Amino acid sequence: MSWQGKVALVTGASSGIGVEVARRLAREGIRVALVARREDRLADVATRIRQSGGEALVVAADLTDEMERARVVEGVRSAYGPVDVLVNNAGFGWFGVLDEMAWPVARQMLRLNVEAVVHLMLLTLPDMVARQGGHIVNVGSVAGDIPVPGMALYSATKAFVDALTVAAYREWRGRPLHITVVKPGPVETEFFQVAAAKAGRAFTGRVNGVTPAQVAELIWHLLNRPRRHAYIAGWLRVAPWLEFFTGPLLDRAGRLMLARQMRRLGVTPRP
């Protein structure tokens, strides 16, 4: 189908993957609604999109609040019309052992990584069903396949997103509605810095992974050739098999792996 003039809602659009997805879709003539908390950053992204000839709408919102989520979708509908593409990208991690995690942080993660994904899907789906078309892209993680020591709750939220996407994909099979989960490995964003900071740690390491632009290119490809899931980098498609065959080893070595990973990334212990 032609995406020219269609409407995309991209969450987490103030940095990293969200910025690059918004810019990539705008280059194809899609009107992009940029959603995140940091309005100044959204305004900068929107300016760059408009300077390149695209259309962008800034919608600053805290997606942990369900009233804000409803306001976002209604605001996009009023300005541009019904959402054709929903990219659920907003989310954050937390780095440390689970017993150190404070409940307010855990609750915030569940609201953003899980609740917001479900709620935005339910808010945008009626219009997609009525128009018999649309595509939802949920940004998951390879951590949903291989639960990562030190990121227990984050891994669980991404496993939820994976299961939700697969089940919905099977429900919609044969209908003109599409849903995809994109599962990156490490991405060169501020993700680890934020995850460490939220746990009261400093991050001084460097992440070697794919770029946000590569993830955005994959998402654009998936809009034109829909499928249930996609890994990036491609070799990560072996992740479910790695978990199946090496899970018992990970069970034994998890704490040692966590300590080594923290040293490698330069994550300092909590004071």
Side-chain angles (χ1 to χ4, degrees):
M1 66 176 293
S2 170
W3 291 105
Q4 183 79 28
K6 300 295 186 181
V7 178
L9 191 165
V10 181
T11 70
S14 61
S15 64
I17 293 172
V19 171
E20 295 301 330
V21 169
R23 295 178 67 184
R24 184 68 183 87
L25 299 187
R27 288 206 303 271
E28 300 297 333
I30 297 175
R31 294 176 292 167
V32 182
L34 311 171
V35 183
R37 289 180 298 109
R38 297 174 289 191
E39 188 169 8
D40 56 337
R41 289 200 180 190
L42 293 178
D44 180 62
V45 177
T47 296
R48 284 185 283 162
I49 287 174
R50 292 167 188 149
Q51 288 173 343
S52 299
E55 289 189 59
L57 175 71
V58 170
V59 188
D62 179 359
L63 293 178
T64 64
D65 184 330
E66 66 177 276
M67 298 299 291
E68 287 281 274
R69 297 192 289 264
R71 178 181 66 81
V72 165
V73 174
E74 188 52 43
V76 175
R77 187 183 290 117
S78 297
Y80 280 166
V83 173
D84 299 290
V85 178
L86 169 64
V87 181
N88 272 317
N89 168 67
F92 72 90
W94 185 93
F95 204 76
V97 292
L98 186 61
D99 54 80
E100 295 178 347
M101 193 176 199
W103 168 242
V105 178
R107 180 177 57 204
Q108 183 187 27
M109 182 181 291
L110 289 168
R111 286 177 174 171
L112 186 58
N113 293 20
V114 173
E115 189 178 309
V117 171
V118 178
H119 196 188
L120 289 172
M121 287 175 62
L122 296 179
L123 287 169
T124 55
L125 271 170
D127 286 331
M128 293 183 184
V129 171
R131 296 193 322 283
Q132 288 293 292
H135 198 137
I136 295 172
V137 179
N138 292 329
V139 178
S141 170
V142 72
D145 291 312
I146 305 177
V148 180
M151 303 190 80
L153 186 58
Y154 175 79
S155 299
T157 65
K158 293 307 182 180
F160 175 92
V161 168
D162 192 14
L164 174 69
T165 303
V166 171
Y169 175 89
R170 290 169 179 167
E171 289 177 359
W172 304 344
R173 187 75 168 160
R175 300 168 69 189
L177 291 174
H178 301 288
I179 186 166
T180 302
V181 60
V182 175
K183 299 197 268 190
V187 184
E188 296 175 4
T189 67
E190 60 185 19
F191 174 87
F192 280 100
Q193 288 91 331
V194 172
K198 282 187 173 289
R201 294 180 164 92
F203 178 91
T204 59
R206 184 177 183 276
V207 176
N208 294 313
V210 298
T211 66
Q214 288 175 295
V215 181
E217 193 63 39
L218 174 61
I219 289 174
W220 169 243
H221 173 78
L222 291 166
L223 292 184
N224 293 285
R225 292 193 169 186
R227 62 181 190 267
R228 186 183 77 186
H229 66 258
Y231 290 89
I232 184 166
W235 67 268
L236 289 172
R237 64 174 61 95
V238 304
W241 295 102
L242 286 175
E243 171 61 24
F244 180 80
F245 286 110
T246 67
L249 176 62
L250 294 175
D251 294 344
R252 292 173 179 269
R255 293 282 300 198
L256 292 174
M257 289 175 58
L258 172 58
R260 181 182 178 186
Q261 181 79 344
M262 290 178 72
R263 287 195 299 271
R264 186 179 70 82
L265 293 174
V267 178
T268 60
R270 295 181 69 175

